[in-house]
PDB file of all heavy atoms in Angstrom:
ATOM      1  N   ILE A  26      69.975-174.392 164.776  1.00  0.00           N
ATOM      2  CA  ILE A  26      71.380-174.305 165.228  1.00  0.00           C
ATOM      3  C   ILE A  26      72.171-173.247 164.424  1.00  0.00           C
ATOM      4  O   ILE A  26      72.936-172.469 164.960  1.00  0.00           O
ATOM      5  CB  ILE A  26      72.076-175.667 165.048  1.00  0.00           C
ATOM      6  CG1 ILE A  26      71.394-176.717 165.930  1.00  0.00           C
ATOM      7  CG2 ILE A  26      73.571-175.545 165.429  1.00  0.00           C
ATOM      8  CD1 ILE A  26      71.790-178.122 165.517  1.00  0.00           C
ATOM      9  N   GLU A  27      71.964-173.232 163.088  1.00  0.00           N
ATOM     10  CA  GLU A  27      72.766-172.376 162.241  1.00  0.00           C
ATOM     11  C   GLU A  27      72.274-170.925 162.279  1.00  0.00           C
ATOM     12  O   GLU A  27      71.128-170.682 162.600  1.00  0.00           O
ATOM     13  CB  GLU A  27      72.710-172.928 160.765  1.00  0.00           C
ATOM     14  CG  GLU A  27      73.170-174.382 160.616  1.00  0.00           C
ATOM     15  CD  GLU A  27      74.603-174.536 161.090  1.00  0.00           C
ATOM     16  OE1 GLU A  27      75.400-173.563 161.041  1.00  0.00           O
ATOM     17  OE2 GLU A  27      74.932-175.653 161.595  1.00  0.00           O
ATOM     18  N   PRO A  28      73.146-169.975 161.915  1.00  0.00           N
ATOM     19  CA  PRO A  28      72.785-168.581 162.104  1.00  0.00           C
ATOM     20  C   PRO A  28      71.590-168.080 161.305  1.00  0.00           C
ATOM     21  O   PRO A  28      70.749-167.390 161.828  1.00  0.00           O
ATOM     22  CB  PRO A  28      74.063-167.778 161.715  1.00  0.00           C
ATOM     23  CG  PRO A  28      75.127-168.815 161.678  1.00  0.00           C
ATOM     24  CD  PRO A  28      74.549-170.183 161.513  1.00  0.00           C
ATOM     25  N   THR A  29      71.528-168.451 160.048  1.00  0.00           N
ATOM     26  CA  THR A  29      70.432-168.019 159.076  1.00  0.00           C
ATOM     27  C   THR A  29      69.922-166.582 159.395  1.00  0.00           C
ATOM     28  O   THR A  29      68.760-166.450 159.727  1.00  0.00           O
ATOM     29  CB  THR A  29      69.252-169.014 159.091  1.00  0.00           C
ATOM     30  OG1 THR A  29      68.678-169.129 160.424  1.00  0.00           O
ATOM     31  CG2 THR A  29      69.700-170.420 158.641  1.00  0.00           C
ATOM     32  N   PRO A  30      70.781-165.580 159.290  1.00  0.00           N
ATOM     33  CA  PRO A  30      70.417-164.226 159.716  1.00  0.00           C
ATOM     34  C   PRO A  30      69.168-163.665 158.905  1.00  0.00           C
ATOM     35  O   PRO A  30      68.351-162.983 159.510  1.00  0.00           O
ATOM     36  CB  PRO A  30      71.674-163.415 159.432  1.00  0.00           C
ATOM     37  CG  PRO A  30      72.538-164.216 158.583  1.00  0.00           C
ATOM     38  CD  PRO A  30      72.207-165.629 158.862  1.00  0.00           C
ATOM     39  N   ALA A  31      69.092-163.976 157.634  1.00  0.00           N
ATOM     40  CA  ALA A  31      67.942-163.412 156.879  1.00  0.00           C
ATOM     41  C   ALA A  31      66.643-163.978 157.368  1.00  0.00           C
ATOM     42  O   ALA A  31      65.660-163.293 157.559  1.00  0.00           O
ATOM     43  CB  ALA A  31      68.132-163.669 155.379  1.00  0.00           C
ATOM     44  N   LEU A  32      66.612-165.335 157.516  1.00  0.00           N
ATOM     45  CA  LEU A  32      65.382-165.980 157.995  1.00  0.00           C
ATOM     46  C   LEU A  32      64.977-165.462 159.391  1.00  0.00           C
ATOM     47  O   LEU A  32      63.854-165.161 159.675  1.00  0.00           O
ATOM     48  CB  LEU A  32      65.525-167.450 158.032  1.00  0.00           C
ATOM     49  CG  LEU A  32      65.425-168.167 156.649  1.00  0.00           C
ATOM     50  CD1 LEU A  32      65.929-169.610 156.769  1.00  0.00           C
ATOM     51  CD2 LEU A  32      63.967-168.175 156.181  1.00  0.00           C
ATOM     52  N   ARG A  33      65.982-165.351 160.246  1.00  0.00           N
ATOM     53  CA  ARG A  33      65.692-164.952 161.651  1.00  0.00           C
ATOM     54  C   ARG A  33      65.204-163.500 161.746  1.00  0.00           C
ATOM     55  O   ARG A  33      64.318-163.192 162.553  1.00  0.00           O
ATOM     56  CB  ARG A  33      66.912-165.212 162.537  1.00  0.00           C
ATOM     57  CG  ARG A  33      67.109-166.725 162.833  1.00  0.00           C
ATOM     58  CD  ARG A  33      68.443-166.927 163.553  1.00  0.00           C
ATOM     59  NE  ARG A  33      68.798-168.335 163.580  1.00  0.00           N
ATOM     60  CZ  ARG A  33      68.614-169.130 164.648  1.00  0.00           C
ATOM     61  NH1 ARG A  33      68.187-168.656 165.773  1.00  0.00           N
ATOM     62  NH2 ARG A  33      68.905-170.406 164.563  1.00  0.00           N
ATOM     63  N   ALA A  34      65.824-162.657 160.885  1.00  0.00           N
ATOM     64  CA  ALA A  34      65.424-161.232 160.904  1.00  0.00           C
ATOM     65  C   ALA A  34      63.995-161.122 160.453  1.00  0.00           C
ATOM     66  O   ALA A  34      63.198-160.364 160.973  1.00  0.00           O
ATOM     67  CB  ALA A  34      66.344-160.407 159.996  1.00  0.00           C
ATOM     68  N   LEU A  35      63.637-161.912 159.448  1.00  0.00           N
ATOM     69  CA  LEU A  35      62.261-161.859 158.897  1.00  0.00           C
ATOM     70  C   LEU A  35      61.237-162.419 159.903  1.00  0.00           C
ATOM     71  O   LEU A  35      60.230-161.819 160.157  1.00  0.00           O
ATOM     72  CB  LEU A  35      62.242-162.621 157.586  1.00  0.00           C
ATOM     73  CG  LEU A  35      60.848-162.709 156.903  1.00  0.00           C
ATOM     74  CD1 LEU A  35      60.461-161.384 156.333  1.00  0.00           C
ATOM     75  CD2 LEU A  35      60.882-163.779 155.826  1.00  0.00           C
ATOM     76  N   LEU A  36      61.498-163.619 160.420  1.00  0.00           N
ATOM     77  CA  LEU A  36      60.553-164.368 161.180  1.00  0.00           C
ATOM     78  C   LEU A  36      60.567-164.121 162.675  1.00  0.00           C
ATOM     79  O   LEU A  36      59.719-164.551 163.412  1.00  0.00           O
ATOM     80  CB  LEU A  36      60.722-165.897 160.946  1.00  0.00           C
ATOM     81  CG  LEU A  36      60.723-166.364 159.473  1.00  0.00           C
ATOM     82  CD1 LEU A  36      61.090-167.871 159.404  1.00  0.00           C
ATOM     83  CD2 LEU A  36      59.317-166.202 158.897  1.00  0.00           C
ATOM     84  N   GLY A  37      61.639-163.452 163.110  1.00  0.00           N
ATOM     85  CA  GLY A  37      61.784-163.290 164.565  1.00  0.00           C
ATOM     86  C   GLY A  37      62.302-164.538 165.216  1.00  0.00           C
ATOM     87  O   GLY A  37      62.175-164.725 166.439  1.00  0.00           O
ATOM     88  N   GLY A  38      62.867-165.462 164.475  1.00  0.00           N
ATOM     89  CA  GLY A  38      63.363-166.717 164.987  1.00  0.00           C
ATOM     90  C   GLY A  38      63.714-167.648 163.851  1.00  0.00           C
ATOM     91  O   GLY A  38      63.496-167.287 162.670  1.00  0.00           O
ATOM     92  N   PRO A  39      64.163-168.839 164.101  1.00  0.00           N
ATOM     93  CA  PRO A  39      64.558-169.745 163.008  1.00  0.00           C
ATOM     94  C   PRO A  39      63.325-170.278 162.224  1.00  0.00           C
ATOM     95  O   PRO A  39      62.203-170.231 162.699  1.00  0.00           O
ATOM     96  CB  PRO A  39      65.251-170.908 163.724  1.00  0.00           C
ATOM     97  CG  PRO A  39      64.720-170.856 165.126  1.00  0.00           C
ATOM     98  CD  PRO A  39      64.444-169.426 165.419  1.00  0.00           C
ATOM     99  N   LEU A  40      63.609-170.807 161.054  1.00  0.00           N
ATOM    100  CA  LEU A  40      62.556-171.420 160.235  1.00  0.00           C
ATOM    101  C   LEU A  40      62.181-172.769 160.780  1.00  0.00           C
ATOM    102  O   LEU A  40      62.632-173.816 160.324  1.00  0.00           O
ATOM    103  CB  LEU A  40      63.015-171.547 158.775  1.00  0.00           C
ATOM    104  CG  LEU A  40      61.990-172.083 157.776  1.00  0.00           C
ATOM    105  CD1 LEU A  40      60.766-171.179 157.678  1.00  0.00           C
ATOM    106  CD2 LEU A  40      62.601-172.352 156.408  1.00  0.00           C
ATOM    107  N   THR A  41      61.355-172.754 161.802  1.00  0.00           N
ATOM    108  CA  THR A  41      60.864-173.991 162.451  1.00  0.00           C
ATOM    109  C   THR A  41      59.356-173.932 162.603  1.00  0.00           C
ATOM    110  O   THR A  41      58.724-172.860 162.338  1.00  0.00           O
ATOM    111  CB  THR A  41      61.526-174.160 163.884  1.00  0.00           C
ATOM    112  OG1 THR A  41      61.134-172.997 164.675  1.00  0.00           O
ATOM    113  CG2 THR A  41      63.030-174.288 163.755  1.00  0.00           C
ATOM    114  N   VAL A  42      58.770-175.016 163.034  1.00  0.00           N
ATOM    115  CA  VAL A  42      57.308-175.097 163.025  1.00  0.00           C
ATOM    116  C   VAL A  42      56.660-174.078 163.976  1.00  0.00           C
ATOM    117  O   VAL A  42      55.529-173.643 163.783  1.00  0.00           O
ATOM    118  CB  VAL A  42      56.879-176.556 163.323  1.00  0.00           C
ATOM    119  CG1 VAL A  42      57.046-176.893 164.809  1.00  0.00           C
ATOM    120  CG2 VAL A  42      55.469-176.820 162.858  1.00  0.00           C
ATOM    121  N   GLU A  43      57.451-173.619 164.953  1.00  0.00           N
ATOM    122  CA  GLU A  43      56.905-172.630 165.898  1.00  0.00           C
ATOM    123  C   GLU A  43      56.666-171.257 165.233  1.00  0.00           C
ATOM    124  O   GLU A  43      55.882-170.489 165.793  1.00  0.00           O
ATOM    125  CB  GLU A  43      57.949-172.406 167.027  1.00  0.00           C
ATOM    126  CG  GLU A  43      58.124-173.540 168.020  1.00  0.00           C
ATOM    127  CD  GLU A  43      59.075-174.607 167.527  1.00  0.00           C
ATOM    128  OE1 GLU A  43      59.644-174.471 166.421  1.00  0.00           O
ATOM    129  OE2 GLU A  43      59.256-175.583 168.257  1.00  0.00           O
ATOM    130  N   ARG A  44      57.236-171.020 164.095  1.00  0.00           N
ATOM    131  CA  ARG A  44      57.065-169.752 163.413  1.00  0.00           C
ATOM    132  C   ARG A  44      55.852-169.738 162.458  1.00  0.00           C
ATOM    133  O   ARG A  44      55.625-168.745 161.760  1.00  0.00           O
ATOM    134  CB  ARG A  44      58.344-169.403 162.610  1.00  0.00           C
ATOM    135  CG  ARG A  44      59.053-168.124 163.022  1.00  0.00           C
ATOM    136  CD  ARG A  44      59.438-168.013 164.474  1.00  0.00           C
ATOM    137  NE  ARG A  44      60.324-169.092 164.788  1.00  0.00           N
ATOM    138  CZ  ARG A  44      60.707-169.433 166.012  1.00  0.00           C
ATOM    139  NH1 ARG A  44      60.237-168.833 167.056  1.00  0.00           N
ATOM    140  NH2 ARG A  44      61.526-170.456 166.235  1.00  0.00           N
ATOM    141  N   VAL A  45      55.136-170.853 162.303  1.00  0.00           N
ATOM    142  CA  VAL A  45      53.938-170.894 161.440  1.00  0.00           C
ATOM    143  C   VAL A  45      52.976-169.796 161.873  1.00  0.00           C
ATOM    144  O   VAL A  45      52.645-169.679 163.015  1.00  0.00           O
ATOM    145  CB  VAL A  45      53.303-172.275 161.427  1.00  0.00           C
ATOM    146  CG1 VAL A  45      51.962-172.254 160.731  1.00  0.00           C
ATOM    147  CG2 VAL A  45      54.234-173.293 160.801  1.00  0.00           C
ATOM    148  N   GLY A  46      52.537-168.989 160.915  1.00  0.00           N
ATOM    149  CA  GLY A  46      51.663-167.865 161.200  1.00  0.00           C
ATOM    150  C   GLY A  46      51.959-166.732 160.266  1.00  0.00           C
ATOM    151  O   GLY A  46      52.354-166.945 159.099  1.00  0.00           O
ATOM    152  N   ALA A  47      51.884-165.519 160.744  1.00  0.00           N
ATOM    153  CA  ALA A  47      52.106-164.363 159.889  1.00  0.00           C
ATOM    154  C   ALA A  47      52.680-163.193 160.687  1.00  0.00           C
ATOM    155  O   ALA A  47      52.510-163.106 161.906  1.00  0.00           O
ATOM    156  CB  ALA A  47      50.798-163.906 159.226  1.00  0.00           C
TER     157      ALA A  47
END
Side-chain angles (χ1 to χ4, degrees):
I26 300 164
E27 301 303 331
T29 61
L32 281 167
R33 285 172 192 258
L35 178 71
L36 304 173
L40 181 64
T41 59
V42 75
E43 290 84 359
R44 241 55 61 190
V45 170

